[in-house]
Amino acid sequence: MGKKNHKPQPPVRPAAQPVTLPFAKIQATVQQTATVVEKPPPDWNVDAVKSLLNSLPTEQKIPLAAFMEQFAEWGSFLQAKAKAFSELEQQLNERQKTVNEELNKARDQLNQDRELHNQTVEADQSEIARRKSEADEYILDAQSERASAEAELQKMMQQRDSLIQREKEVLLREAEFRNGLMDEREASLKTLREQLADLESRRNSVTRDIETKRQQLLAEAVRDADEIRSGAQKWADDLRKTQVDLETLRTDLTKREEKLRLTEELLSANRKSFNEHIQAASKDQIDQLKKECAKLKQKLNTKCEEVDRLQQELDELEDLRQEAGANPGQLMEELDSLRRDNRAKDRELADLRSRAELDDPTELRQQRDHLQQQLDAKEAELAVLRAQESAWNRSVTAQQDWEKTKLVMEKGRTLLHSEAERLRTLVDDLMSRQQAAAVFPALKAMDDNPKLQIAIHTDDVPELPALVKDLQARLYYADQDKPLFFKEDTLQLFIGGLAMSQLHVFQGISGTGKTSLATAFAKAVGGEVTTVAVQAGWRDRADLLGYYNAFEKRFYERNTLQALYRAQTEADKDRLHIVLLDEMNLSRPEQYFADFLSALEMSGNHRSIDLMDSATGSDWPKLLCSGKSVRLPDNVWFIGTANQDETTHTFADKTHDRAFVLDLPRWDAGQRQIPRPKRTARWSFESLREKFNSTCTKFKLEIDTLIESINGSQLTKILADDFQLGWGNRLERQLKRFVPVVIEAGGSKALAVDHLLQSRMFRDGKVVGRHDIKVDDLKRVETQLYEMWNECKLEVEPTRCLAAIARDIKRLERGG
């Protein structure tokens, strides 16, 4: 509320108490007045006056004491006004010094321009001379006004002298009281009061005149300085234009080089990914073939060793055949002959043994021994021949096995070539199928989904005065296991935020329901919510939307892209969609959300984001723009939750100024008497937008008047001059959308303006939280905030802004 100066009233003293006359205050007043007028105080005997006045009766002392108290206070007021006038004079001198400094800066800038533009030296010098002449005239005018103000001050001094003279007369009249001149005293007091009132009125008039003249001088000084700065800025802009163009070209070239580098890196990554994919796809088959080849090689090595062994045995057999001088057939015949001879000898031996039983044993023993020797020799020959027969049989078998092994190896080689050809064909087929697949498979699937091609029924949104109560109940019963309760003023601000911006930021300590409000709201109104967990290290839009693999000719669509596309389908275009960016400040939104921040400021077909540099193929999803851009539908809101700790980043002005920021208090999920909604709802987006637009039209004149009062307030001037802060066109557009909806939803104009100013101006880094301001600066802002609130006729105090100022004052007083 605004602060007003009240005329001090004389203190009322109880009649029953002893009356003490304020001689000390009177004496102090005389000293203060003497200091102000710079003259010695009058010579008067305090003791004599005390004895004179103490002799009065008590009933006469009471009005005299009241008068003396009031007279003493007038002296203090006179000194305060003199001090204020001195401060005003000092401010004028400082303002004059500031103007002179600005003029000097303008001269320096003009001199620099003159060095760069030799052809316009004479014109610049004449302009500087003209500006200097105007500045001198302004200084003379200021000095004249100062002289006038000094004259007014001198006049006030004279009036002060007259007041002192009146004081003497009062003292003389007080002396006459002892002689019974009470009637004359009362008349004199009345006359004196009238004169004092007249003096006070004239003093106030002089003060107002001085203030008016000061404001005029300041306004003229600011206007002249602005003209000088404007001219200098115009020349400076012309000089810098070429540098700006060159810097823009250099920036564009840098961006293109960076984009080319990123494209090359992406192509390299895609090529590597495809190679890994092909290797993974053929790994099992290659491993199987390698195993088979290893087995065949092992078998081949075994057969080769066996062939070498058989070849060696064959060579040994050939050597044996050459030594025997016959072929194997002849040797076999000889072996058979020897076997027959052996059998004949065996029969002879048997006959001899039988005869030995009848003949001479000695002779027979000699014959037996001889025959036994012949038999041993023949058996030895038979063993040799059997060994040769076995070697020949093994040689024939080995030669047959080698022929079979050769056939097996030839078949294995043929099978290996066939399998390699089949694998090559498989890879080529895989490549062709991937190149033939759709670039946007998920988006194409939505086009082919019949359920998304048929419009579904939606419900009209309740009228805004009843909408908050309805939404409060629906949020409370959105989740049976965890009822959510939000106060009406929080929901009024939230509904106003839906009308103001498509980007919301929910802040607050853990457990205040930041994520729950977004998800429960989508469920309560029959909308869709897509949760995106923001990761540390996100840098560009590809982290949100996906990226295009040029090697595979495919775009890997992320959830955000699919949500934006689905919101445009026939089934969902009249429903509310929420994209929840969970912990969105783990990375800097000004980087990965930059394209969205720019697109949300656009309108119509310009509200789109490029997915690729150029379209690929011809079978595009039907809701993409030119096959390469996705629109930002009006029925999609981005809601980000934000925590403040060592792992997160602070929001830059680019994000803060475009978003609706809501600090959620801790909610209470206790038992409450909230009626359950009769049925579920699926809010219509078009119905909600129509109600927002009609409400803004309804309050248009009232909001225009409010904006005009804010722009013309002294607070706006202080913020611009001392804090370099301004409202801007964006804030005015947000006021026109936000304030009417909050009012229509049951809130107050003060609630809406207080929230918007606190989240825009009275946050850290703007008015508060700075190290280049002092407590007095904040108190001055607080005073002007009260004044603006009274001028705008806002009925409730700006509690959010005042709380922010109070917190920062405590910080500064603690030395923060």
Side-chain angles (χ1 to χ4, degrees):
M1 302 297 293
K3 297 181 180 179
K4 298 183 179 179
N5 293 326
H6 298 283
K7 179 178 179 181
Q9 299 297 327
V12 178
R13 302 179 183 274
Q17 298 178 357
V19 180
T20 302
L21 298 177
F23 295 107
K25 289 185 178 181
I26 292 295
Q27 188 174 8
T29 300
V30 172
Q31 294 294 335
Q32 293 172 354
T33 306
T35 301
V36 171
V37 300
E38 298 179 352
K39 291 184 178 181
D43 186 13
W44 60 303
N45 193 326
V46 178
D47 296 333
V49 175
K50 284 184 179 180
S51 62
L52 175 64
L53 297 181
N54 288 333
S55 63
L56 293 176
T58 303
E59 62 273 9
Q60 294 179 1
K61 286 183 179 180
I62 292 174
L64 180 60
F67 169 77
M68 294 177 71
E69 287 281 356
Q70 187 176 8
F71 183 79
E73 291 179 359
W74 284 120
S76 299
F77 293 150
L78 182 63
Q79 187 181 28
K81 293 299 180 181
K83 183 179 179 181
F85 183 83
S86 177
E87 292 177 353
L88 174 62
E89 183 179 12
Q90 183 179 0
Q91 291 177 0
L92 289 174
N93 292 333
E94 292 177 353
R95 184 60 183 173
Q96 181 178 353
K97 181 179 179 180
T98 302
V99 171
N100 290 335
E101 291 176 354
E102 291 178 353
L103 289 174
N104 291 332
K105 292 179 180 178
R107 291 192 191 98
D108 295 339
Q109 184 63 40
L110 291 174
N111 289 332
Q112 294 176 4
D113 295 340
R114 180 182 58 190
E115 293 176 359
L116 298 174
H117 295 276
N118 294 327
Q119 296 179 357
T120 59
V121 170
E122 295 180 359
D124 291 345
Q125 288 178 347
S126 62
E127 184 64 21
I128 292 173
R130 185 178 68 82
R131 294 292 183 182
K132 182 178 179 181
S133 176
E134 291 177 355
D136 293 339
E137 292 178 0
Y138 161 74
I139 294 173
L140 292 176
D141 292 340
Q143 292 175 350
S144 175
E145 293 294 336
R146 180 179 177 183
S148 177
E150 291 177 350
E152 292 292 339
L153 179 62
Q154 187 65 31
K155 187 176 181 181
M156 290 182 64
M157 295 299 182
Q158 293 176 359
Q159 292 175 354
R160 194 178 293 112
D161 293 340
S162 176
L163 181 61
I164 295 173
Q165 184 64 31
R166 292 289 184 184
E167 179 186 359
K168 292 179 179 179
E169 294 177 1
V170 168
L171 293 175
L172 293 176
R173 290 175 186 243
E174 290 175 353
E176 295 176 356
F177 287 166
R178 290 183 302 170
N179 300 326
L181 300 178
M182 184 63 67
D183 294 338
E184 294 182 5
R185 171 186 171 279
E186 291 177 355
S188 299
L189 287 174
K190 182 178 180 180
T191 302
L192 182 59
R193 290 192 184 97
E194 292 175 353
Q195 291 175 351
L196 287 174
D198 180 66
L199 288 173
E200 180 183 1
S201 175
R202 293 174 62 187
R203 183 197 64 190
N204 293 337
S205 176
V206 170
T207 301
R208 287 193 299 272
D209 293 340
I210 292 174
E211 180 64 21
T212 302
K213 291 179 180 179
R214 185 181 70 83
Q215 293 293 340
Q216 292 176 354
L217 288 173
L218 291 177
E220 291 175 358
V222 170
R223 186 170 58 253
D224 293 340
D226 288 342
E227 290 178 357
I228 294 174
R229 282 196 298 267
S230 176
Q233 186 64 37
K234 182 178 179 181
W235 293 327
D237 290 341
D238 293 336
L239 293 174
R240 298 189 187 99
K241 184 176 181 181
T242 303
Q243 296 179 353
V244 171
D245 292 339
L246 292 175
E247 187 65 24
T248 301
L249 292 175
R250 188 180 296 108
T251 302
D252 291 340
L253 181 59
T254 303
K255 289 181 178 179
R256 290 179 181 177
E257 292 176 352
E258 181 67 17
K259 188 174 183 181
L260 180 60
R261 184 184 63 80
L262 292 175
T263 303
E264 292 176 351
E265 292 179 355
L266 180 60
L267 181 59
S268 177
N270 291 337
R271 186 179 296 109
K272 181 179 179 182
S273 175
F274 179 75
N275 291 334
E276 293 175 353
H277 179 72
I278 294 300
Q279 291 174 2
S282 59
K283 182 178 179 181
D284 295 338
Q285 297 178 355
I286 293 176
D287 291 343
Q288 185 65 28
L289 291 175
K290 286 182 178 179
K291 291 179 180 179
E292 294 178 0
C293 290
K295 291 180 179 179
L296 292 175
K297 288 181 179 179
Q298 184 177 1
K299 187 180 293 186
L300 179 60
N301 292 333
T302 303
K303 295 302 180 181
C304 289
E305 292 175 358
E306 190 173 356
V307 168
D308 293 338
R309 183 176 57 80
L310 292 175
Q311 185 65 40
Q312 184 178 359
E313 293 178 354
L314 183 61
D315 294 338
E316 292 176 356
L317 186 59
E318 183 65 23
D319 294 338
L320 181 61
R321 187 184 62 82
Q322 291 178 359
E323 290 176 359
N327 55 32
Q330 293 176 347
L331 292 176
M332 291 297 290
E333 291 176 358
E334 291 178 358
L335 180 60
D336 292 338
S337 177
L338 291 174
R339 285 175 180 173
R340 288 191 300 269
D341 291 342
N342 190 25
R343 285 194 296 268
K345 295 298 183 182
D346 289 338
R347 285 192 301 267
E348 289 179 0
L349 179 61
D351 292 339
L352 289 173
R353 285 176 179 174
S354 62
R355 286 195 303 266
E357 295 177 357
L358 299 176
D359 296 334
D360 184 15
T362 303
E363 184 180 359
L364 290 176
R365 189 179 296 110
Q366 292 177 356
Q367 291 179 1
R368 184 196 64 182
D369 293 338
H370 176 71
L371 292 173
Q372 185 64 41
Q373 292 176 358
Q374 290 181 354
L375 178 61
D376 293 339
K378 294 298 182 182
E379 286 179 352
E381 292 179 1
L382 179 61
V384 173
L385 291 174
R386 284 179 178 175
Q388 291 178 356
E389 179 186 16
S390 177
W392 276 102
N393 290 335
R394 287 197 303 270
S395 175
V396 172
T397 304
Q399 188 173 5
Q400 293 175 352
D401 291 340
W402 184 83
E403 293 291 338
K404 293 179 181 179
T405 303
K406 183 178 180 181
L407 292 175
V408 170
M409 292 179 61
E410 290 178 353
K411 290 182 178 180
R413 189 182 297 108
T414 303
L415 179 61
L416 183 61
H417 285 296
S418 176
E419 191 65 25
E421 187 66 26
R422 186 184 67 82
L423 181 60
R424 187 181 297 106
T425 305
L426 179 63
V427 172
D428 294 340
D429 182 66
L430 179 62
M431 292 278 294
S432 60
R433 285 203 308 270
Q434 289 176 341
Q435 292 177 357
V439 179
F440 299 91
L443 305 189
K444 287 293 292 180
M446 293 186 196
D447 288 346
D448 299 334
N449 189 349
K451 293 182 180 180
L452 297 179
Q453 309 309 318
I454 301 175
I456 61 177
H457 172 72
T458 54
D459 303 318
D460 286 342
V461 177
E463 296 298 326
L464 292 184
L467 184 142
V468 170
K469 284 286 187 183
D470 181 77
L471 180 60
Q472 187 182 50
R474 295 187 183 279
L475 290 174
Y476 189 80
Y477 293 101
D479 189 347
Q480 298 295 337
D481 298 330
K482 189 175 73 173
L484 299 175
F485 177 79
F486 295 94
K487 295 182 179 180
E488 289 186 11
D489 58 350
T490 300
L491 296 181
Q492 289 161 357
L493 295 174
F494 174 64
I495 295 300
L498 293 178
M500 183 188 84
S501 174
Q502 286 183 262
L503 174 60
H504 288 204
V505 175
F506 290 167
Q507 298 182 149
I509 62 176
S510 178
T512 55
K514 300 185 293 295
T515 302
S516 300
L517 176 56
T519 55
F521 172 74
K523 184 176 181 181
V525 302
E528 287 286 335
V529 60
T530 301
T531 302
V532 179
V534 176
Q535 303 297 319
W538 281 12
R539 289 293 181 267
D540 55 33
R541 64 173 182 264
D543 296 314
L544 269 180
L545 297 175
Y547 64 94
Y548 176 66
N549 190 321
F551 188 78
E552 298 180 22
K553 298 186 182 302
R554 176 189 172 187
F555 194 97
Y556 286 86
E557 309 113 303
R558 295 195 183 275
N559 291 345
T560 306
L561 175 59
Q562 297 182 41
L564 294 177
Y565 193 85
R566 178 169 181 173
Q568 303 176 59
T569 61
E570 191 68 21
D572 282 46
K573 66 181 181 181
D574 198 30
R575 299 174 63 198
L576 277 63
H577 284 253
I578 303 295
V579 176
L580 176 59
L581 303 175
D582 195 22
E583 297 194 53
M584 71 177 301
N585 60 336
L586 279 178
S587 288
R588 297 188 181 277
E590 298 77 25
Q591 295 178 356
Y592 71 85
F593 205 72
D595 292 343
F596 291 83
L597 293 175
S598 300
L600 289 174
E601 295 283 289
M602 304 297 179
S603 60
N605 294 330
H606 297 289
R607 289 169 55 89
S608 63
I609 297 177
D610 291 337
L611 303 175
M612 302 182 295
D613 294 335
S614 60
T616 301
S618 59
D619 190 16
W620 306 327
K622 61 183 180 181
L623 296 178
L624 288 185
C625 302
S626 302
K628 66 183 184 68
S629 302
V630 62
R631 296 185 182 89
L632 293 185
D634 294 336
N635 61 332
V636 176
W637 281 267
F638 295 90
I639 298 180
T641 62
N643 293 325
Q644 303 297 333
D645 55 39
E646 67 278 0
T647 65
T648 60
H649 302 276
T650 57
F651 292 106
D653 291 344
K654 182 177 181 180
T655 301
H656 242 300
D657 295 343
R658 289 166 171 79
F660 166 72
V661 182
L662 181 62
D663 290 314
L664 291 178
R666 184 180 296 276
W667 52 271
D668 180 15
Q671 296 294 330
R672 300 181 183 275
Q673 298 298 326
I674 298 179
R676 181 184 293 272
K678 296 180 180 179
R679 63 184 182 86
T680 60
R682 185 183 288 121
W683 281 8
S684 167
F685 165 73
E686 290 296 336
S687 173
L688 182 65
R689 179 164 61 178
E690 189 277 329
K691 284 181 171 53
F692 286 162
N693 293 337
S694 60
T695 299
C696 294
T697 303
K698 174 182 176 182
F699 289 92
K700 183 178 185 304
L701 295 178
E702 183 177 349
I703 301 304
D704 289 342
T705 303
L706 172 66
I707 293 175
E708 184 177 355
S709 299
I710 293 176
N711 290 334
S713 66
Q714 189 67 19
L715 176 64
T716 302
K717 187 176 186 303
I718 289 178
L719 293 180
D721 294 344
D722 299 343
F723 295 84
Q724 290 74 48
L725 298 176
W727 306 127
N729 295 330
R730 182 184 294 111
L731 182 59
E732 291 187 5
R733 290 197 304 270
Q734 293 172 349
L735 277 169
K736 293 178 180 179
R737 296 286 297 178
F738 180 72
V739 179
V741 175
V742 173
I743 296 174
E744 189 71 2
S748 64
K749 188 192 304 181
L751 172 66
V753 176
D754 183 24
H755 174 83
L756 206 56
L757 292 185
Q758 187 274 327
S759 60
R760 289 293 183 274
M761 294 296 177
F762 293 87
R763 61 179 177 85
D764 286 346
K766 292 292 186 179
V767 174
V768 300
R770 297 168 54 154
H771 298 280
D772 57 345
I773 60 172
K774 300 179 181 178
V775 173
D776 293 339
D777 299 329
L778 292 176
K779 290 183 176 179
R780 188 168 70 255
V781 170
E782 182 181 26
T783 301
Q784 295 305 323
L785 179 63
Y786 274 116
E787 293 295 333
M788 188 193 77
W789 226 249
N790 291 332
E791 293 171 3
C792 297
K793 299 179 181 179
L794 301 176
E795 61 277 15
V796 183
E797 286 189 350
T799 55
R800 289 174 170 81
C801 296
L802 293 177
I805 294 176
R807 286 194 301 270
D808 206 51
I809 289 177
K810 289 182 180 179
R811 177 184 66 84
L812 293 175
E813 289 176 346
R814 292 194 302 265

